[in-house]
């Protein structure tokens, strides 16, 4: 086990390096970078100033910026260095988890990510817990009643929910319950109300939960189908195995067979994915959901960073999320061994 974990940790290094190298190389050829945007902005301001002050203005927008000013802008964003040197410097900073400073937010990428985490954690954790706590019991109930009317009706409902995109459901919920054309029941924007600081602790909790109802509902409905059907199929497969028939032949009750024997084996595929899903819940960012419900989270941050060519944010968040994803995959693999001792990573050669 220790050798396998060490091997996986060492493999993370070239994986991270490859992801960052490819992304960094692509960025070099993307037009409209921060230097170009700054130059365009300065030219626009200068042309506006020229138009307002007449021919006495000393700058002529049509003539462009002089080379000295252009070099200053490049040095400001670090583009006065060769690409390979910038990449090496970036890797050196990432080793100490220095993710750089945003070009447009004028604060460190780490602080920027931390400031957006409350929204992403709220969406991710509520979606995670509601999905697991609802889908596992529902999947077990469907497996026990496989082929019954209950199974057919619930399958139809969750598949309809799966077919509806989250952003479409979010818009529908806003129209129906967010003061649109029908009922004004839930708030439209933000995690909390404007007067949240003035509320009592109980009212703060209720206010927060009230704000989360619509966005969490829009996020979680699409997740029900996959988890529920995975749970059902896993239990159905176990129920049909020989050891279940043997347990029943010994006189064990249906509940004893289900929860003492079947449950322990059928739950393995679900539990092993638990660590990755739990870690991912802290950094889940849904652009469309955040936009619809006016939530300033990681999804919106990533989207705006790409549009604004905010390269430190793009590369810094990519590095952080890729590293966390690799660690989550490693934890998942380790959980397989801890839960199911039949699985061994070290193959024994005869």
């Amino acid at each position: 086990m220790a050798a396998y974990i060490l091997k996986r940790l060492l493999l993370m290094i070239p994986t991270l390096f490859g992801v960052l190298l490819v992304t960094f190389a692509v960025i070099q050829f993307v037009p409209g970078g921060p230097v170009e945007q700054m130059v365009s902005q300065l030219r626009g301001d200068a042309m506006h100033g020229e138009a307002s002050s007449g021919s006495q203005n000393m700058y002529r927008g049509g003539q462009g910026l002089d080379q000295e000013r252009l070099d200053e802008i490049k040095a400001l964003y670090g583009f006065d260095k060769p690409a390979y040197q910038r990449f090496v410097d970036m890797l050196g900073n990432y080793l100490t988890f220095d993710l750089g400073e945003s070009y447009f937010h004028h604060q460190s990428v780490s602080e920027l990510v931390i400031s957006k985490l409350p929204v992403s954690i709220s969406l991710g954790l509520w979606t995670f817990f509601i999905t697991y706590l609802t889908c596992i019991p529902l999947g077990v109930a469907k497996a026990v009643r496989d082929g019954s009317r209950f199974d057919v009706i619930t399958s139809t409902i969750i598949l309809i929910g799966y077919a509806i995109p989250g952003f479409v459901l979010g818009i529908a919920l806003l129209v129906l319950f967010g003061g649109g054309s029908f009922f004004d029941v839930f708030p439209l924007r933000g995690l909390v109300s404007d007067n949240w600081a003035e509320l009592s602790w109980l009212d703060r909790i209720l206010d927060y939960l009230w704000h989360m109802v619509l966005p969490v509902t829009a996020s979680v409905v699409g997740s029900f189908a996959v988890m529920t059907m995975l749970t059902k199929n896993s239990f159905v497969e176990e129920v049909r195995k020989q050891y279940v028939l043997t347990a029943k032949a010994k006189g064990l009750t249906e509940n004893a067979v289900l929860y003492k024997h079947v449950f322990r084996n059928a739950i393995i595929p679900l539990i092993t994915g638990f660590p990755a899903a739990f870690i991912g819940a802290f950094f889940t960012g849904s652009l469309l959901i955040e936009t619809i419900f006016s939530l300033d989270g990681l999804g919106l941050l990533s989207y705006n960073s790409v549009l604004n060519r905010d390269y430190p944010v793009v590369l810094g968040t990519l590095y952080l999320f890729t590293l966390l994803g690799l660690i989550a995959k490693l934890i998942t693999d380790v959980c397989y061994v801890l839960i199911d001792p039949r699985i061994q990573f070290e193959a024994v050669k005869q």
Side-chain angles (χ1 to χ4, degrees), residues 104-105 287 296 299-310:
F104 297 92
H105 296 276
L287 169 63
D296 189 11
L300 197 59
L301 172 65
S302 301
Y303 176 72
N304 289 332
S305 299
V306 173
L307 288 183
N308 295 328
R309 306 295 192 269
D310 198 348

Side-chain angles (χ1 to χ4, degrees), residues 19-294:
V19 170
L20 292 174
L21 178 61
V22 171
T23 307
F24 185 86
V26 171
I27 282 176
Q28 306 309 306
F29 301 98
V30 175
V35 174
E36 289 83 354
Q37 291 189 31
M38 177 63 75
V39 170
S40 178
Q41 181 180 353
L42 291 174
R43 285 177 176 174
D45 292 343
M47 291 177 68
H48 177 74
E50 181 182 75
S52 62
S53 60
S55 59
Q56 298 300 320
N57 192 297
M58 298 183 63
Y59 177 81
R60 296 295 182 267
Q63 298 176 2
L65 294 174
D66 57 74
Q67 187 61 41
E68 182 180 356
R69 187 69 180 277
L70 186 60
D71 292 338
E72 291 178 359
I73 296 174
K74 289 182 178 181
L76 176 65
Y77 292 112
F79 285 89
D80 56 329
K81 302 177 182 178
Y84 72 88
Q85 185 176 348
R86 286 186 280 118
F87 182 70
V88 172
D89 292 342
M90 182 188 73
L91 292 180
N93 292 332
Y94 283 1
L95 290 177
T96 59
F97 289 94
D98 179 6
L99 304 182
E101 184 172 339
S102 169
Y103 292 152
F104 297 92
H105 296 276
H106 304 295
Q107 62 181 122
S108 69
V109 176
S110 301
E111 294 176 353
L112 196 58
V113 170
I114 292 173
S115 68
K116 308 298 182 182
L117 278 181
V119 170
S120 298
I121 290 176
S122 295
L123 285 175
L125 286 184
W126 282 115
T127 301
F128 170 81
F129 284 118
I130 292 175
T131 299
Y132 268 82
L133 294 178
T134 302
C135 294
I136 291 180
L138 179 60
V140 174
K142 287 171 63 63
V144 173
R145 300 171 179 82
D146 185 30
S148 66
R149 180 179 299 179
F150 170 80
D151 183 34
V152 174
I153 292 176
T154 53
S155 295
T156 302
I157 294 174
I158 62 175
L159 289 175
I160 291 175
Y162 180 74
I164 301 175
F167 71 93
V168 174
L169 180 60
I171 294 173
L173 291 174
L174 281 180
V175 173
L176 289 174
F177 304 108
S181 303
F182 297 91
F183 307 102
D184 187 5
V185 180
F186 297 100
L188 292 176
R189 62 183 68 247
L191 288 178
V192 293
S193 301
D194 294 335
N195 63 335
W196 187 78
E198 303 172 2
L199 301 176
S200 63
W201 67 268
L202 179 59
D203 290 334
R204 290 183 182 182
I205 296 175
L206 294 176
D207 180 74
Y208 164 75
L209 294 176
W210 206 240
H211 277 77
M212 292 306 301
V213 169
L214 294 187
V216 169
T217 301
S219 300
V220 79
V221 168
S223 305
F224 279 165
V226 175
M227 184 61 64
T228 302
M229 299 309 294
L230 177 62
T231 304
K232 176 196 170 182
N233 294 336
S234 180
F235 273 81
V236 169
E237 181 182 357
E238 290 295 324
V239 167
R240 295 172 179 172
K241 291 184 177 180
Q242 185 64 39
Y243 74 88
V244 176
L245 297 177
T246 303
K248 290 180 179 180
K250 291 181 178 180
L252 295 179
T253 63
E254 290 288 341
N255 287 337
V257 173
L258 180 64
Y259 292 106
K260 290 185 178 181
H261 297 279
V262 175
F263 189 86
R264 181 173 56 186
N265 295 320
I267 205 68
I268 290 176
L270 306 176
I271 297 300
T272 50
F274 188 94
F278 185 74
I279 293 176
F282 285 88
F283 298 94
T284 299
S286 176
L287 169 63
L288 295 175
I289 297 298
E290 291 177 10
T291 302
I292 292 171
F293 294 99
S294 300

